[in-house]
Amino acid sequence: MPQEFQVLRCFKCETFQVSQVKKATKWVCKICQEKQSTKQVYNRGSGAECRKVVQELNWKRMELGTAREELLLDQEVVESVQEETSDDNYEIKTIEDPVQRTGGRWAAFLPPPVEEKREAVAENR
């Protein structure tokens, strides 16, 4: 009678792996050493058949993981570009507002006009 194997998935590291069929429902993950019970059997058969299934399932899991990472990176890039453009617009507005109020960029550095000096002298008397 040939040995029967099963394909299981670890709840912690989420990797698929081959295990011999036993009477006990408990098994230990070969990757993270987590002890767990058999919740779902993904495939049953000979060792070679189960190893092929495990390779395919882990490969698909890896492809999905990289696709998610790429999607997240793309979203982060778009968000950072949007933040930069919104910050630039804000800075331009804040620079333009003082220029319009004072009449020029150099107004803050120039001495007050002669009329204002005369008014200031008159008020002090």
Side-chain angles (χ1 to χ4, degrees), residues 40-119:
Q40 181 178 358
V41 176
Y42 291 89
N43 192 17
R44 267 196 146 127
S46 69
E49 291 172 356
C50 288
R51 283 192 296 273
K52 287 180 183 178
V53 170
V54 165
Q55 285 179 348
E56 291 173 5
L57 290 172
N58 283 331
W59 184 261
K60 288 178 184 177
R61 185 178 62 89
M62 189 232 6
E63 286 177 343
L64 287 174
T66 55
R68 285 183 192 146
E69 289 176 8
E70 289 175 1
L71 182 64
L72 289 174
L73 286 174
D74 290 344
Q75 288 176 350
E76 289 176 3
V77 167
V78 169
E79 289 173 359
S80 65
V81 168
Q82 288 175 349
E83 289 175 2
E84 289 175 6
T85 57
S86 66
D87 290 345
D88 291 343
N89 292 341
Y90 178 76
E91 290 175 6
I92 291 170
K93 289 178 184 176
T94 57
I95 292 172
E96 290 175 1
D97 289 342
V99 171
Q100 292 173 356
R101 290 183 201 150
T102 59
R105 292 182 183 174
W106 289 99
F109 300 104
L110 295 175
V114 177
E115 295 175 11
E116 290 181 12
K117 284 185 180 177
R118 290 182 188 163
E119 291 176 7

Side-chain angles (χ1 to χ4, degrees), residues 1-5 20-21 44-49:
M1 182 174 166
Q3 284 189 327
E4 192 175 14
F5 291 88
Q20 282 183 330
V21 176
R44 267 196 146 127
S46 69
E49 291 172 356

Side-chain angles (χ1 to χ4, degrees), residues 15-30:
T15 57
F16 293 93
Q17 47 197 293
V18 178
S19 175
Q20 282 183 330
V21 176
K22 301 174 187 172
K23 289 182 181 180
T25 59
K26 302 278 184 179
W27 61 283
V28 178
C29 176
K30 296 175 182 119

